[in-house]
Amino acid sequence: MLDEVGDMPALRTEEVLWHAARALAADGAREEARGLLDRARREVLRKAGLIGDETLRERFLTAVPLNRSLLAADGEGTC
């Protein structure tokens, strides 16, 4: 549905992608889940790039649990 409708102001696209990735991973579709996690990660980084204040941008990337998880060194989010 995200691909058809696109982003919506009240929707955290990266969160929808993360939940879908978790469901796919639980069903054994690891590659597809990884693709969605990559999309979620790119979305977080895109949004971070829109934040002009460096302190606020860093807080967005590190203080929001989902963002921190998506950007974790293992690259797997919390899937």
Side-chain angles (χ1 to χ4, degrees):
M1 286 180 61
L2 265 178
D3 290 336
E4 293 174 19
V5 176
D7 292 338
M8 293 181 271
L11 177 71
R12 289 196 63 211
T13 301
E14 61 274 23
E15 190 170 357
V16 172
L17 293 167
W18 178 75
H19 284 292
R22 290 189 63 196
L24 286 167
D27 194 42
R30 298 298 238 173
E31 275 307 306
E32 195 173 353
R34 193 177 339 272
L36 291 182
L37 285 174
D38 288 342
R39 277 180 66 186
R41 193 174 297 111
R42 284 192 304 270
E43 182 64 16
V44 167
L45 293 172
R46 181 191 71 78
K47 288 179 178 181
L50 299 173
I51 302 171
D53 181 278
E54 185 176 334
T55 302
L56 293 176
R57 182 175 46 252
E58 184 65 23
R59 188 177 307 155
F60 174 77
L61 292 171
T62 61
V64 177
L66 177 62
N67 296 353
R68 187 174 55 244
S69 178
L70 285 168
L71 300 173
D74 67 7
E76 293 296 320
T78 58
C79 237

